[in-house]
Amino acid sequence: MKTIFKKVISKFVEGLLMMSGTVTTLAVLFIVFYLFKESLGLFNMTPVEDSYSVLVNKNNPVKKLSAQQIKLVFDQEITNWKQLGGNDAEIELFRTEDISNYYSEDEIGKNFEHLAQRINEHIEKHRGIIAFVASEYEMKNAASVPLSVDKITLLELMKGKEWFPTAQPAAQFGVLPLLMGTLLVSLGAILLALPFGIAAAIYLAEIADTRFRNIAKPLIELLAGIPSVVFGFFGLVVIVPMVQQWFNLPVGETALAGSIVLGIMALPTIITVSEDALHNTPRSMKEASLALGANKWQTILRVVIPYSISGITTAVILGIGRAIGETMAVLMVTGNAAVIPHSILQPVRTIPATIAAELGEAPLEDYILKHCSF
Amino acid sequence: MEKQFKDKESIEDVMQMQEPSKQNRTVKIESRNMELYYGEFHALKGINIAIKTNSVAALIGPSGCGKSTFLRSLNRMNDLIDGVKISGQVLIDGKDIYNSKALRIEELRKKVGMVFQKPNPFPKSIFENVAYGLRVNGISHKSFIEERVERSLKQAALWDEVKDKLKKSAFELSGGQQQRLCIARALAIEPSVLLMDEPASALDPISTAKIEELIYELKSDYTIVIVTHNMQQAGRVSDMTAFFYLGELVEYDSTKKIFTNPEDLRTQNYITGRFG
């Protein structure tokens, strides 16, 4: 009886474990699939917001523009259609609200009932016009034609140098500045944290006396548990002014400040994990090395570190993971300028910071959301 | 020549070189009134011993009697342990290894090789294990290292078994092979003294026999001090035997005398198996 009961229990536990394993795997797969599905939707969209159109005169030979070109036109960096492959004519910009410059209130109508017609008239009169209006004011078979805008492509996403998801009429989704910002900040953090982290770990494991190690190690581990916002605050009030002063900068919120804060955040992880690995090197290994006439440093470099290299690698990966994925602290100290950084002393914006900063403004099914999930 | 005669040590060195026959009679290792404390614990009490060049000395005694501690103090391995205090003198080739400023600890350890109880090869290839001692002592000449590795492995009677897999990890070897690799590793830097801390205790009888044979062969070139729990082994390999008990050196005499006609009652009790 007892053995049967035991068997049933063990079968039950086995089933439970199998179920939880399967469910977890499926959930992870589902999440990955969902994110990919969501993000791939991005490439079927035009960068012009829904229910808005970009209109040109029917006789204008230019029928198709890229998001980049539209932005340049509306920024008045391109002022002639010739530059876009059209006739030699000045580009006239037009937005819905500009209509009041050309027509009186009576002509437009008290409730804007004639607005669509007036816009149409205006476009007919001006050959070089480019108008950004709500789609409801666009008339069928009229003097204006909607300009078709290139869809967002993967290449554009990766190569685009500008990140303006809220730009009108055409949003800019160049992810390069964010990518560069993330890489720069993370690289700086790793370069700062790795040498110090591994040096501290070697000191604690091999050189410091036991009493000091027993006090220092828990303190460092405590440091790993501090929330990132606190590190961000510390960075904001201490590191940022310091960076500003050192390099005599107009603002201290730079990639360097981000790297320093991230480096400090990654340090405890790197130190504790690699110290554990170093500390686990068997005493007999060290003794064998010392007995062969090696000094302390040779023993550390040639025996202790090679023996614990897998643990050190784990420490580095965990540290880097924290550096790349970190959001809050970076958001607070890097200045959040989505431009390609030319030096470590410029403000940058990282991908996680962008997600955190802009997700609140992104309506569901919107570009940014899709972009973020990409 | 005149320069060399300036200090006493170099005179001795020169004399040794000139009369190799005299070497056999010289004392290689000597301790005088050596005391060792682990913190409060008095581990070695007034040890006086003299071990001759090119002989095998066995240290026997029950666990915790201080024989391993004494062995480890001969190449200053005890320095690694916190709270160790040593007084008295330990002389190797007439030089006080604890108080001599001229003898760096690395040089001492190069001269006094050690083989540990458990085989402890490095996580490296067989070749690199043997070459390690040479490399840390600043030798990087490739053919010299290769030659020395081969010679050491031959001395340790391991060459034939590993010559085709020198690049393989040392962990692929059996326990007995690993221990012989550790001996080869110690021999590669050409020490003059070899300390062995129960070198065969973790091995099977066949490997043990090989190690003992090896000790017998190495005797002609090295002064060997071996700690063992195995009476038969002490009897087989050693010329002299020292019996340690509770931190004291009870008796030190020729192996034959210790095992047949010991003077101290405690020695007699121990070797006949009445305690320990």
Side-chain angles (χ1 to χ4, degrees):
Chain A
M1 191 63 200
K2 216 174 174 183
T3 54
I4 292 170
F5 186 66
K6 256 186 182 168
K7 259 185 191 166
V8 168
I9 290 279
S10 78
K11 275 272 174 240
F12 178 72
V13 170
E14 216 172 86
L16 216 63
L17 290 177
M18 196 191 81
M19 234 157 67
S20 77
T22 317
V23 167
T24 316
T25 315
L26 285 178
V28 169
L29 282 179
F30 173 75
I31 290 168
V32 171
F33 177 75
Y34 175 79
L35 289 178
F36 264 96
K37 201 204 97 207
E38 274 298 294
S39 56
L40 284 176
L42 179 74
F43 300 120
N44 277 326
M45 301 174 98
T46 64
V48 177
E49 213 177 315
D50 274 352
S51 77
Y52 280 92
S53 306
V54 179
L55 305 176
V56 290
N57 192 292
K58 201 158 64 176
N59 298 324
N60 196 326
V62 179
K63 298 280 182 249
K64 198 172 171 154
L65 286 179
S66 71
Q68 178 85 18
Q69 286 168 321
I70 289 180
K71 183 183 170 282
L72 289 174
V73 166
F74 275 81
D75 284 351
Q76 294 184 322
E77 305 217 357
I78 294 176
T79 51
N80 199 304
W81 285 107
K82 223 165 80 179
Q83 287 165 276
L84 300 168
N87 301 326
D88 186 6
E90 194 93 344
I91 296 176
E92 290 174 65
L93 297 179
F94 178 83
R95 291 172 194 264
T96 315
E97 61 269 25
D98 296 336
I99 196 76
S100 56
N101 298 340
Y102 304 100
Y103 296 93
S104 69
E105 224 173 280
D106 286 345
E107 283 169 306
I108 299 164
K110 275 213 171 69
N111 298 317
F112 305 108
E113 59 265 27
H114 306 304
L115 184 57
Q117 209 180 340
R118 295 286 169 259
I119 289 172
N120 195 31
E121 274 174 39
H122 187 75
I123 294 173
E124 197 174 6
K125 270 188 237 162
H126 297 80
R127 296 218 153 178
I129 203 164
I130 182 163
F132 174 60
V133 297
S135 298
E136 53 181 304
Y137 303 130
E138 180 194 331
M139 290 179 84
K140 291 260 153 64
N141 306 318
S144 61
V145 256
L147 205 58
S148 80
V149 181
D150 288 345
K151 285 180 177 166
I152 302 163
T153 63
L154 182 64
L155 196 71
E156 216 176 302
L157 185 79
M158 289 303 173
K159 270 174 61 185
K161 292 192 175 76
E162 279 170 286
W163 172 257
F164 277 120
T166 51
Q168 279 185 322
Q172 303 291 311
F173 293 112
V175 82
L176 199 61
L178 308 182
L179 217 60
M180 297 281 282
T182 309
L183 286 181
L184 186 66
V185 172
S186 307
L187 204 73
I190 291 160
L191 285 181
L192 285 175
L194 270 196
F196 284 113
I198 291 177
I202 289 172
Y203 173 73
L204 282 181
E206 295 295 323
I207 298 162
D209 64 293
T210 333
R211 219 179 313 151
F212 178 75
R213 179 183 176 270
N214 288 346
I215 298 168
K217 188 104 192 294
L219 283 180
I220 290 170
E221 275 162 5
L222 203 68
L223 216 59
I226 293 179
S228 55
V229 187
V230 179
F231 275 108
F233 180 71
F234 168 76
L236 202 59
V237 296
V238 179
I239 309 277
V240 167
M242 226 152 70
V243 169
Q244 188 179 1
Q245 226 169 31
W246 283 345
F247 298 97
N248 206 10
L249 297 171
V251 279
E253 292 179 332
T254 55
L256 180 64
S259 293
I260 294 173
V261 171
L262 272 191
I264 295 172
M265 286 183 68
L267 265 179
T269 319
I270 293 178
I271 293 175
T272 47
V273 178
S274 49
E275 199 271 347
D276 280 337
L278 290 167
H279 197 72
N280 282 339
T281 309
R283 193 199 181 88
S284 66
M285 277 309 152
K286 286 185 254 172
E287 283 185 345
S289 168
L290 292 170
L292 288 168
N295 61 33
K296 201 169 191 167
W297 288 107
Q298 288 171 325
T299 304
I300 290 171
L301 281 177
R302 288 167 180 259
V303 175
V304 177
I305 291 178
Y307 191 88
S308 45
I309 195 71
S310 70
I312 294 174
T313 316
T314 311
V316 171
I317 288 169
L318 284 176
I320 293 174
R322 184 154 198 199
I324 292 177
E326 177 48 42
T327 310
M328 208 56 224
V330 179
L331 187 69
M332 289 166 83
V333 298
T334 51
N336 287 323
V339 287
I340 294 180
H342 296 290
S343 94
I344 199 154
L345 296 174
Q346 283 184 341
V348 293
R349 180 183 235 183
T350 65
I351 293 173
T354 305
I355 294 175
E358 289 179 2
L359 202 56
E361 296 162 21
L364 203 65
E365 297 291 311
D366 187 62
Y367 314 108
I368 306 171
L369 185 69
K370 292 212 186 297
H371 191 270
C372 288
S373 49
F374 179 80
Chain B
M1 262 322 225
E2 250 182 33
K3 235 181 185 178
Q4 284 183 328
F5 278 102
K6 267 182 183 164
D7 56 309
K8 206 182 137 212
E9 280 165 11
S10 31
I11 297 170
E12 278 177 7
D13 285 349
V14 172
M15 277 169 66
Q16 272 182 23
M17 283 197 309
Q18 282 169 342
E19 294 176 74
S21 59
K22 219 176 175 181
Q23 245 181 23
N24 289 336
R25 272 168 270 150
T26 54
V27 171
K28 186 81 183 171
I29 303 164
E30 194 179 357
S31 79
R32 292 178 192 153
N33 293 323
M34 187 205 165
E35 310 271 346
L36 188 143
Y37 291 86
Y38 288 126
E40 294 294 303
F41 178 65
H42 198 174
L44 290 177
K45 298 168 189 167
I47 307 296
N48 284 298
I49 196 169
I51 297 166
K52 281 181 190 147
T53 305
N54 293 359
S55 69
V56 178
L59 310 182
I60 60 167
S63 295
C65 67
K67 57 193 188 305
S68 280
T69 301
F70 179 70
L71 189 81
R72 291 166 60 90
S73 67
L74 296 181
N75 68 343
R76 298 189 60 175
M77 264 315 178
N78 286 327
D79 291 16
L80 303 177
I81 299 161
D82 288 337
V84 168
K85 273 178 292 176
I86 296 167
S87 62
Q89 282 182 310
V90 180
L91 303 136
I92 289 180
D93 288 335
K95 287 181 201 167
D96 189 335
I97 61 170
Y98 282 94
N99 299 315
S100 164
K101 285 208 174 77
L103 190 66
R104 274 170 51 242
I105 191 162
E106 288 84 24
E107 284 170 34
L108 167 73
R109 286 174 180 160
K110 207 183 142 193
K111 198 154 85 173
V112 184
M114 188 163 192
V115 177
F116 295 84
Q117 183 172 0
K118 275 189 203 148
N120 55 352
F122 299 124
K124 298 172 189 279
S125 70
I126 293 168
F127 183 88
E128 282 304 317
N129 259 283
V130 183
Y132 182 87
L134 300 170
R135 292 199 199 280
V136 296
N137 284 299
I139 295 165
S140 55
H141 197 275
K142 207 176 161 220
S143 61
F144 178 81
I145 289 178
E146 277 169 8
E147 196 182 304
R148 192 64 84 73
V149 167
E150 183 178 339
R151 204 184 71 194
S152 309
L153 285 169
K154 277 178 178 160
Q155 270 184 304
L158 192 63
W159 177 251
D160 291 335
E161 292 161 61
V162 300
K163 65 181 173 200
D164 300 323
K165 46 179 182 179
L166 289 173
K167 293 273 169 279
K168 292 237 172 108
S169 167
F171 291 131
E172 285 177 26
L173 299 175
S174 74
Q177 286 174 324
Q178 284 187 12
Q179 191 64 302
R180 275 180 283 148
L181 180 69
C182 291
I183 293 173
R185 186 173 68 182
L187 295 179
I189 49 172
E190 297 195 316
S192 53
V193 178
L194 202 55
L195 308 177
M196 297 179 140
D197 192 354
E198 298 179 51
S201 69
L203 304 181
D204 65 279
I206 294 166
S207 302
T208 305
K210 276 190 178 163
I211 302 258
E212 283 178 15
E213 212 173 297
L214 194 58
I215 292 169
Y216 191 77
E217 275 166 26
L218 293 174
K219 198 170 86 171
S220 54
D221 297 318
Y222 302 89
T223 306
I224 297 172
V225 185
I226 178 170
V227 165
T228 181
H229 275 293
N230 185 330
M231 298 304 155
Q232 287 80 19
Q233 189 173 59
R236 282 193 298 264
V237 301
S238 69
D239 304 314
M240 302 288 280
T241 297
F243 173 63
F244 281 75
Y245 185 63
L246 298 177
E248 278 176 67
L249 175 62
V250 176
E251 201 170 344
Y252 175 57
D253 217 321
S254 74
T255 302
K256 209 173 170 186
K257 178 139 194 298
I258 292 274
F259 281 98
T260 52
N261 185 23
E263 275 171 19
D264 199 287
L265 185 67
R266 289 171 292 182
T267 316
Q268 198 178 356
N269 286 344
Y270 182 72
I271 59 168
T272 52
R274 244 165 261 170
F275 72 87

